Amino acid sequence: MEVLERLLNISLVIATIRTTAPILLVALGGSFTTKAGIFNIGLEGQMLVGAFFAVIGTIATGSPWLGVLCGVAAALTLALIFALLVVSFKANEVVVGLALNILAGGLTVSLMKAIFGTRGSIFGHGLVGLPALKLPNVKDLGWFGQMISGYTPLVYAAFILVPVLILFYNRSRLGLYIRVVGEKPEAAEALGISITRIRYISSLLCGLLAGLAGAHLALGYTTMFTENMSSGRGFMAVAILIFSNGDPLKILLGCLLFGFSDALSLRLQTLGISSYLVLAVPYLVALIGLFALSYRSRPRLIQETLASMGRVLSVKSNTIKPATATDASKP
Amino acid sequence: MSVTPATPLAIELKSITKRFGAFVANEDVNLAVESGKIHAIIGENGAGKTTLMNVLFGLLQPDEGEIWIDGEKKSLPNPAAAIAAGIGMVHQHFKLVPSLTVAENVFLGMEIRKGGLIDHAAQIKKTAELSKQFGLQVDPNERVGLLSVGIEQRIEILKVLVRGARIIILDEPTAVLTPQESRELFQTLRGFVAQGMTVIFISHHLEEVMEVSDTVSVLRLGKNVASRPTAELTKSDLVQLMVGRLVSFDRLPRTPTIGKTVLEVEDLWCRDERQLQALRGVSFGVKAGEIVGIAGVAGNGQTELAEVLSGLRPSSHGSLKLNGRTITGLSARDIRAAGVGHVPGDRLVRGVDRNASISMNLLMGRQDQSPWSTHGIINRRYLLEQTQALIKRFDIRTRGPESPAKSLSGGNIQKIVLAREFTGSADCLLIDQPTRGVDIGAQEQIHGEIMRQRDAGKAILLISVQLDELIRLADRILVMFGGTIMGEISGDRVDEEEIGMLMAGVVPEPRPNQVGAA
């Protein structure tokens, strides 16, 4: 009981919200491309360059906000290259996405070496993070106030974006067209909606949010850049996108699941459980979650297999039937 | 051939010609559509109906000719221009988004917005109003993915109406509908003309054209061969106009052969994809050394018959016998092994693998038989020898045995299929549309090969929509209509009128077997 109490308390909720935010931002970005019918595996790389250039921008200008802008611009550039190759030149989206991820990894490492002469991580150099927002009058709300106050701005942005995106997909023309392009391109074409244009817009919106996610990682979640600091969050987002089909609410649920298991693993470390096991927790939860979700479609698979087997069997049985059947039909 | 208009013309096409390379899809077509009428355009597959309508809807640009709408000359560079001119088209294949509601689909591309956001309530209200005004019953709130094809079509029609169309083109609208849904559609169309709109209705079903249209235009081989009020025509008139007068009866010479019955079909029934009865009790036999032709307007069960006989479609009732042995319900492979060769109607889908080489295509289906292979390894030298021999014998025009099938012309691809099917050990050959899309020279050769197979004692079932091909080759012709065999005609005593009536589903007065040459 005592162990449970130490694990499950308000600070776990706060930790969950903190760990959910970066992955939520990048997954919401991916929802644009998913809805537009592009399988965007390049989220990881966009997030990584976002983080790196946010740090560079902040060090260069001294303002974390200008740093965020730099990070977003870098991610947008990568997104534009992605769109150019995938949408205009019709290259395979998985290949392009993976290539850009590798490029992002290599680019950040070599630039780090060139600029700072080090490998590993960047901190200091006058690097400042985004300020935490203390909401006014939350003291009166007790534990709830404690729960909702004191995060960096991009955390709020991530959670506010969920209802905004729901509204966007259901009530705005652009959101509707993105869905139509993804679901039935020929319908969009017949109505004179430019598939290319919509897919470019989706890719860039995705880059925007992936850049913000990266910037948050480097300037909000921590105040540093480390090699490969996105550490698979982009891929987790891709996994969430696959089972959420890009629906913002389902994305939120998926991200909370990841965030929670991430936060839980951090707490478990304090209990003296092997850190290797603990660090595997979020990935295990992800696997189990994905398996459970895909399990729903399994009965259909089984049904279809049975049906096709039944067809074969019924055809076989026909060879015996006709003799009696034709006799019966004879007047 | 054009009608003198009693009422103003909604559409007038003047000398429209549309070519695709060397192929002329529409040739000097004149078409006058009166306002407030249902005008049917009928013709066989490939007669140029859809091309003509695509020209009218701005999807294709005519090479020659003029389009006049409501007495004004128009150029229609794209569908938007056609829509602006009041034309709407309901395509054969629907373009609806399954996850959106009916109202969202209807208004897609022209959403009603309030304060920048889509006003769902207004769209639903408008859809409900339109649906009521034109008797197209739909629930605007429902998701399209859950609806039947009939309702999907109503939504497509609503899409056209909401864009202000007064002239509505429907491309084979009943092809996907059940008879009940078709009847409801016809009622809706009559409602449209009652409200002063004009309907152009493309079809190759005689019945529904007779039932619903005021005027009929018949297209044949890209030309408008007749435009007349429907009331002045009979179904057999239409068939004759569609398939054309038989110019030459150049039957290939033959010696009568009397062999034993090889293929026996008894009381065969089956359903099509829409679960409608496609075959309703078909019985016939094919003897060795005999070509039995199957005639009929496309879509009367011929495709399904070929599929059942080759094992590609299950029959719901009836029996098939080959040399006295029951083969009902066997798989395509087993039927083949039992001795049925199949030249499929769609050679690119079922006849060849387009990407595979000619030699591989010739091998297919017998790759596990000696001497083509030994112990599971293909005998490449034998295959190459055979391929070269067959290329020579069937005069396949190619660069070599390893060229992919897709590099060949349609006629030469068909020769690959024939070369494979005619050199097996089959006693019975099922040949479906052997010369569709094949040039005249190759046609001659293909016909010659079929005759050689007949003389070699094979039992041949020849399905074709081309009457002249059947008359040229067949010893007997069975005419199919509505999934049954309407009658049988001896190949050397073909009477055009009689066959036309049978194809239209009318039984001529004297029994077909007793009719002499006209």
Side-chain angles (χ1 to χ4, degrees):
Chain A
M1 233 28 234
E2 198 200 331
V3 173
L4 271 184
E5 263 169 45
R6 272 174 63 192
L7 274 179
L8 305 172
N9 51 30
I10 189 74
S11 54
L12 180 67
V13 178
I14 291 169
T16 301
I17 290 174
R18 274 175 47 80
T19 49
T20 301
I23 191 171
L24 181 58
L25 266 176
V26 71
L28 288 175
S31 103
F32 292 112
T33 43
T34 305
K35 286 279 187 203
I38 305 171
F39 184 62
N40 189 351
I41 210 167
L43 293 171
E44 180 84 4
Q46 292 177 8
M47 201 174 174
L48 192 63
V49 295
F52 180 76
F53 283 95
V55 167
I56 298 282
T58 310
I59 292 173
T61 62
S63 154
W65 288 112
L66 288 176
V68 170
L69 225 57
C70 281
V72 167
L76 279 176
T77 311
L78 216 58
L80 188 66
I81 297 171
F82 178 83
L84 196 71
L85 292 174
V86 168
V87 181
S88 295
F89 299 133
K90 311 237 177 329
N92 182 299
E93 47 209 18
V94 175
V95 174
V96 172
L98 280 177
L100 289 178
N101 284 345
I102 295 166
L103 174 75
L107 184 77
T108 50
V109 170
S110 43
L111 279 179
M112 202 185 333
K113 187 116 173 121
I115 300 172
F116 301 95
T118 57
R119 282 200 63 166
S121 44
I122 316 166
F123 46 88
H125 298 288
L127 184 62
V128 282
L130 292 165
L133 282 186
K134 291 258 183 272
L135 298 183
N137 306 327
V138 291
K139 286 247 168 58
D140 313 336
L141 296 168
W143 63 269
F144 185 72
Q146 206 186 335
M147 200 178 87
I148 61 166
S149 181
Y151 303 103
T152 51
L154 290 175
V155 175
Y156 296 108
F159 286 93
I160 290 168
L161 272 173
V162 174
V164 170
L165 251 65
I166 292 174
L167 194 71
F168 173 77
Y169 286 127
N170 287 321
R171 297 292 302 275
S172 83
R173 183 182 275 187
L174 180 61
L176 183 70
Y177 288 1
I178 287 177
R179 284 166 62 196
V180 172
V181 163
E183 195 181 332
K184 198 99 187 202
E186 59 270 34
E189 214 165 16
L191 294 166
I193 300 169
S194 161
I195 296 174
T196 309
R197 207 177 118 242
I198 295 289
R199 290 207 163 138
Y200 261 91
I201 293 173
S202 314
S203 295
L204 291 177
L205 284 172
C206 170
L208 172 74
L209 291 195
L212 282 180
H216 170 64
L217 216 51
L219 301 175
Y221 192 67
T222 59
T223 312
M224 64 192 295
F225 177 83
T226 44
E227 241 175 62
N228 192 27
M229 85 178 299
S230 45
S231 67
R233 286 188 179 82
F235 289 115
M236 283 199 202
V238 170
I240 290 170
L241 286 167
I242 290 171
F243 73 69
S244 68
N245 191 28
D247 293 339
L249 203 60
K250 287 185 196 157
I251 289 178
L252 175 65
L253 292 176
C255 290
L256 281 172
L257 180 71
F258 277 103
F260 173 74
S261 47
D262 213 358
L264 189 68
S265 81
L266 291 172
R267 314 231 95 206
L268 285 172
Q269 272 175 312
T270 64
L271 294 176
I273 299 171
S274 157
S275 64
Y276 291 110
L277 279 179
V278 164
L279 287 176
V281 167
Y283 303 94
L284 281 176
V285 170
L287 267 180
I288 293 166
L290 287 180
F291 184 78
L293 278 158
S294 69
Y295 198 79
R296 273 191 317 176
S297 56
R298 194 141 313 177
R300 206 195 62 204
L301 201 76
I302 294 168
Q303 256 173 27
E304 278 171 6
T305 316
L306 282 177
S308 62
M309 280 170 69
R311 248 198 318 277
V312 171
L313 293 175
S314 73
V315 166
K316 283 264 158 62
S317 68
N318 253 358
T319 48
I320 314 158
K321 208 172 69 189
T324 50
T326 38
D327 285 349
S329 72
K330 287 275 165 59
Chain B
M1 287 261 176
S2 68
V3 187
T4 355
T7 40
L9 293 181
I11 289 174
E12 201 176 359
L13 299 179
K14 295 182 178 172
S15 310
I16 296 284
T17 297
K18 177 70 196 170
R19 299 183 196 91
F20 297 103
F23 176 68
V24 185
N26 289 142
E27 193 180 345
D28 192 24
V29 175
N30 289 298
L31 183 72
V33 179
E34 290 170 56
S35 185
K37 292 275 169 71
I38 299 181
H39 192 118
I41 296 186
I42 188 166
E44 292 200 288
N45 291 333
K49 297 169 295 198
T50 301
T51 306
L52 189 66
M53 289 307 110
N54 284 345
V55 165
L56 183 52
F57 193 56
L59 285 163
L60 293 172
Q61 296 311 306
D63 296 312
E64 286 159 39
E66 292 173 359
I67 301 169
W68 292 64
I69 297 168
D70 295 326
E72 255 179 79
K73 190 183 164 194
K74 297 262 179 177
S75 80
L76 302 172
N78 51 43
I83 291 167
I87 299 176
M89 183 153 174
V90 178
H91 295 272
Q92 222 170 338
H93 304 286
F94 303 151
K95 288 166 177 164
L96 299 173
V97 188
S99 78
L100 300 187
T101 63
V102 171
E104 282 175 311
N105 266 294
V106 168
F107 280 92
L108 192 61
M110 47 174 301
E111 297 78 10
I112 302 177
R113 292 197 294 176
K114 207 164 73 182
L117 294 179
I118 296 169
D119 189 348
H120 287 300
Q123 292 191 164
I124 287 165
K125 194 165 155 255
K126 263 285 209 30
T127 306
E129 281 170 14
L130 268 179
S131 139
K132 208 169 160 204
Q133 185 190 343
F134 291 102
L136 289 155
Q137 228 173 20
V138 290
D139 175 357
N141 282 307
E142 208 144 12
R143 302 231 168 256
V144 165
L146 307 169
L147 301 174
S148 70
V149 193
I151 297 179
E152 284 190 355
Q153 189 176 58
R154 287 181 207 159
I155 302 167
E156 286 285 359
I157 296 174
L158 282 171
K159 269 167 80 172
V160 162
L161 292 174
V162 85
R163 284 162 173 77
R166 289 163 297 104
I167 300 163
I168 298 177
I169 307 169
L170 297 113
D171 190 358
E172 304 217 3
T174 54
V176 291
L177 300 182
T178 63
Q180 172 63 29
E181 287 171 330
S182 298
R183 274 193 294 280
E184 287 170 18
L185 173 70
F186 296 155
Q187 241 167 26
T188 308
L189 297 185
R190 287 196 197 96
F192 286 165
V193 292
Q195 299 193 35
M197 295 161 76
T198 308
V199 173
I200 299 180
F201 174 89
I202 303 179
S203 180
H204 60 231
H205 286 293
L206 306 168
E207 309 257 312
E208 53 192 46
V209 167
M210 296 300 290
E211 186 185 336
V212 79
S213 70
D214 300 307
T215 318
V216 193
S217 289
V218 184
L219 290 192
R220 189 197 328 139
L221 301 172
K223 291 183 189 160
N224 183 1
V225 292
S227 283
R228 279 181 220 159
T230 313
E232 292 177 9
L233 292 161
T234 63
K235 274 193 271 181
S236 42
D237 290 341
L238 279 179
V239 170
Q240 277 190 29
L241 288 166
M242 274 167 77
V243 297
R245 294 197 71 82
L246 300 164
V247 192
S248 59
F249 289 84
D250 56 342
R251 254 171 94 65
L252 292 174
R254 66 195 65 217
T255 48
T257 41
I258 303 157
K260 61 180 177 55
T261 302
V262 175
L263 179 72
E264 246 185 298
V265 177
E266 227 181 274
D267 196 23
L268 199 63
W269 291 70
C270 87
R271 290 174 185 275
D272 64 9
E273 281 77 20
R274 292 177 284 154
Q275 294 306 311
L276 300 176
Q277 285 294 352
L279 293 182
R280 306 160 174 273
V282 171
S283 304
F284 62 89
V286 186
K287 293 195 179 75
E290 177 187 48
I291 301 178
V292 174
I294 301 277
V297 175
N300 277 291
Q302 300 100 306
T303 319
E304 286 80 5
L305 178 65
E307 285 173 354
V308 170
L309 292 183
S310 56
L312 294 166
R313 178 183 289 280
S315 55
S316 48
H317 186 81
S319 80
L320 299 177
K321 277 190 188 140
L322 189 74
N323 291 325
R325 184 188 150 207
T326 301
I327 56 166
T328 324
L330 292 187
S331 69
R333 187 191 166 93
D334 291 341
I335 286 183
R336 212 164 245 287
V340 178
H342 181 206
V343 178
D346 195 339
R347 56 181 163 266
L348 291 179
V349 176
R350 281 175 170 162
V352 296
D353 175 352
R354 294 202 289 170
N355 297 310
S357 66
I358 296 174
S359 60
M360 282 301 147
N361 273 302
L362 288 172
L363 176 68
M364 264 172 223
R366 48 196 177 192
Q367 68 280 359
D368 51 358
Q369 292 163 18
S370 175
W372 297 90
S373 70
T374 31
H375 309 302
I377 294 167
I378 293 167
N379 193 340
R380 292 213 66 103
R381 180 180 296 172
Y382 181 76
L383 175 60
L384 203 66
E385 279 169 19
Q386 288 299 309
T387 305
Q388 268 155 352
L390 288 175
I391 286 177
K392 206 159 164 214
R393 178 179 150 199
F394 284 85
D395 190 26
I396 301 171
R397 311 278 167 85
T398 168
R399 271 174 292 140
E402 296 307 315
S403 309
K406 66 180 172 193
S407 67
L408 273 58
S409 71
N412 283 302
I413 293 178
Q414 186 69 312
K415 286 188 216 161
I416 299 179
V417 181
L418 295 184
R420 182 181 65 221
E421 301 301 325
F422 288 3
T423 53
S425 54
D427 302 321
C428 172
L429 295 170
L430 183 58
I431 306 175
D432 194 0
Q433 320 296 346
T435 57
R436 180 185 281 166
V438 165
D439 64 82
I440 299 276
Q443 262 180 34
E444 288 286 324
Q445 292 173 322
I446 290 169
H447 286 169
E449 276 305 329
I450 294 175
M451 280 310 282
R452 262 193 286 284
Q453 293 299 314
R454 170 194 181 271
D455 295 339
K458 301 276 166 85
I460 298 174
L461 185 70
L462 175 68
I463 302 174
S464 178
V465 288
Q466 285 162 280
L467 261 189
D468 46 357
E469 179 166 84
L470 292 173
I471 292 167
R472 210 165 134 79
L473 295 171
D475 295 294
R476 293 186 286 139
I477 299 173
L478 307 174
V479 183
M480 282 191 78
F481 174 82
T484 57
I485 290 179
M486 287 302 293
E488 179 184 322
I489 294 169
S490 170
D492 48 16
R493 285 180 302 168
V494 173
D495 172 45
E496 214 181 312
E497 202 150 323
E498 183 189 347
I499 210 165
M501 285 171 84
L502 287 171
M503 283 168 80
V506 185
V507 181
E509 260 318 299
R511 292 300 301 165
N513 285 345
Q514 293 148 15
V515 171

